Amino acid sequence: MPDSGAMSKNGIVTKINSRIRSDPFTACYDLVGRELGRGKFAVVKKCVEKATGKQYAAKFLRKRRKGMDCRMDVLNEIAVLELAKANPYVVELHEVYETSSEIILVLECAAGGEIFNQCVADNDEAFTEKDVIRLAKQILTGVAFLHWNNVVHLDLKPQNILLTSARPLGDIRIVDFGLSRRMDSITEVREILGTPEYVAPEILNYEPISTATDMWSIGVLIYVMLTGESPFLGDDKQETFLNISQVNIDYSQDTFEGISSQAIDFIKSLLVKNPRKRATAEEALTHPWLNSHPHPHPNPHLHAVKASSLDEPETSQSESEPESPAGSPDLDLIGTYLLYPGQGELKAGRHTFSFSEPPFATRPEIQQELIC
């Protein structure tokens, strides 16, 4: 468990055990192929360890961001990865390097890429409900381990769940702990963090963050995996926030065609506005949907009927944690998924909800600080 003595008031842990190497990264690793992903403050590249020939994903993180020293944020990510080393469903940290401007995390290479690709895939490439059940169990097992150690991820979404292989369908690896925070029973953590379509209502209301905040995001994630639709996506950020705040969500038969009622009940146990009433990770693991697979639909591949509205994705671009496409401007609040070259896109999961006035007062701090 992270050392509480090394934890700041906002839940960031800065004490790490990994040796930070200062010798040249390229003395021990060769960079191969194209970039796996690029974000506002990070770039991920495939590399090969010279001594062993083993492939890894090297995540190059800038220490200065918008003129601020963010080295402690990177150390926090390392601390969480160290904590989760015994967790088979969290990406493994291999080594750490530091230069004058960057910290380099050498991570396990999950060759199957992001589950996002299957979420927007057509027919045979899409997940079956049975696939989603197996992967949901793994996601929940990984998150339960984090929560048991008082760590919340705060950015669970399809781009941050990788696969060890795409075909055959492998196991999941949870990645990108850049926003993670340590909880304790004394200090309340209130921050505007996450990706717009996945943030819980308490984030928007600037209420205390808890392990339940992750459970809301998992509810959205499972909805996306089953339907290929984004449940709270509106025409603009204000509408997206209204949908989240009012839990405006479509559970219609059209959206969930061929999907069991138990799956819908599972999602409903997580997409509850009151954090105290949401299922915990351990409770979710005992849900009947995950423990008695329903009779399969005649067409077992999910959201095949809706596939005509989705662009067919190419091979995954990411094996680690890209935050935004290359060359994009700084992101504030976005009403759609971040799209990477060759990927499809999700569509809104409901009819639009119109409103004449903003659902809540404009929060400048949300526009400035919500991290995508």
Side-chain angles (χ1 to χ4, degrees):
M1 187 175 293
D3 182 359
S4 59
M7 186 178 75
S8 68
K9 64 181 180 179
N10 64 346
I12 291 179
V13 180
T14 57
K15 182 178 180 180
I16 65 171
N17 298 313
S18 297
R19 179 172 73 97
I20 299 180
R21 299 182 59 166
S22 58
D23 51 318
F25 170 80
T26 52
C28 297
Y29 294 89
D30 287 321
L31 296 173
V32 294
R34 54 185 171 83
E35 292 179 359
L36 300 175
R38 176 177 288 272
K40 289 180 291 184
F41 309 118
V43 59
V44 183
K45 302 177 182 180
K46 185 181 287 188
C47 63
V48 174
E49 189 174 33
K50 293 180 179 180
T52 64
K54 188 173 181 180
Q55 290 189 346
Y56 292 95
K59 184 177 182 181
F60 295 77
L61 291 145
R62 293 201 328 241
K63 293 190 288 187
R64 290 195 67 81
R65 305 170 186 180
K66 297 182 178 179
M68 297 179 61
D69 183 358
C70 293
R71 187 175 186 271
M72 294 300 102
D73 295 276
V74 182
L75 294 183
N76 178 68
E77 184 167 357
I78 294 169
V80 174
L81 289 169
E82 289 178 345
L83 163 80
K85 199 169 185 67
N87 187 334
Y89 301 123
V90 169
V91 70
E92 184 177 355
L93 176 66
H94 181 59
E95 280 194 300
V96 181
Y97 285 78
E98 185 169 14
T99 69
S100 59
S101 61
E102 295 176 313
I103 293 179
I104 306 165
L105 308 185
V106 183
L107 302 163
E108 172 188 5
C109 186
E114 306 164 358
I115 66 169
F116 182 92
N117 298 304
Q118 280 84 354
C119 291
V120 298
D122 189 2
N123 295 323
D124 290 348
E125 294 182 2
F127 289 130
T128 66
E129 185 171 347
K130 188 175 181 180
D131 291 335
V132 178
I133 288 172
R134 183 174 72 85
L135 298 181
K137 286 181 179 179
Q138 295 183 2
I139 293 168
L140 288 164
T141 300
V143 170
F145 180 95
L146 295 173
H147 290 179
W148 188 82
N149 285 279
N150 298 324
V151 171
V152 289
H153 186 283
L154 297 180
D155 201 20
L156 293 168
K157 57 185 178 181
Q159 291 93 334
N160 287 340
I161 308 293
L162 307 187
L163 292 167
T164 55
S165 66
R167 288 193 175 186
L169 192 64
D171 295 325
I172 67 100
R173 294 292 186 270
I174 302 170
V175 301
D176 199 348
F177 290 85
L179 303 186
S180 297
R181 295 292 184 267
R182 163 88 190 282
M183 303 285 101
D184 64 29
S185 58
I186 301 172
T187 307
E188 286 188 347
V189 177
R190 300 170 190 256
E191 287 202 68
I192 305 295
L193 296 171
T195 299
E197 292 168 59
Y198 294 86
V199 295
E202 59 267 25
I203 294 281
L204 300 180
N205 294 331
Y206 203 63
E207 295 170 352
I209 292 167
S210 70
T211 54
T213 305
D214 278 346
M215 300 312 296
W216 174 279
S217 299
I218 291 174
V220 180
L221 175 62
I222 300 303
Y223 189 110
V224 170
M225 292 172 72
L226 287 169
T227 69
E229 298 183 358
S230 182
F232 297 110
L233 174 60
D235 290 337
D236 54 37
K237 63 190 178 188
Q238 196 80 333
E239 188 177 331
T240 298
F241 291 158
L242 172 67
N243 291 329
I244 293 170
S245 180
Q246 297 185 349
V247 197
N248 290 332
I249 187 167
D250 179 11
Y251 291 114
S252 69
Q253 187 174 358
D254 287 344
T255 298
F256 283 87
E257 183 176 358
I259 300 170
S260 69
S261 60
Q262 285 187 336
I264 298 172
D265 183 74
F266 176 84
I267 294 171
K268 287 181 176 180
S269 73
L270 300 176
L271 297 183
V272 178
K273 186 170 184 178
N274 185 340
R276 294 180 179 87
K277 294 184 178 180
R278 279 176 220 149
T280 66
E282 290 183 351
E283 290 169 348
L285 280 165
T286 67
H287 191 280
W289 179 57
L290 298 183
N291 295 286
S292 57
H293 184 251
H295 296 295
H297 187 254
N299 181 354
H301 292 280
L302 300 176
H303 54 86
V305 174
K306 296 178 278 293
S308 60
S309 66
L310 303 174
D311 297 328
E312 184 174 352
E314 297 175 4
T315 303
S316 171
Q317 294 256 335
S318 172
E319 293 176 10
S320 193
E321 306 90 273
E323 299 169 22
S324 63
S328 66
D330 284 349
L331 297 168
D332 292 318
L333 299 180
I334 55 174
T336 60
Y337 256 99
L338 299 178
L339 297 181
Y340 304 100
Q343 287 188 333
E345 61 181 286
L346 298 172
K347 66 178 183 179
R350 84 202 77 68
H351 298 297
T352 57
F353 292 86
S354 61
F355 51 92
S356 57
E357 296 181 0
F360 31 67
T362 300
R363 293 181 179 270
E365 69 271 21
I366 292 181
Q367 294 181 343
Q368 294 171 7
E369 299 179 33
L370 187 61
I371 299 175
C372 303

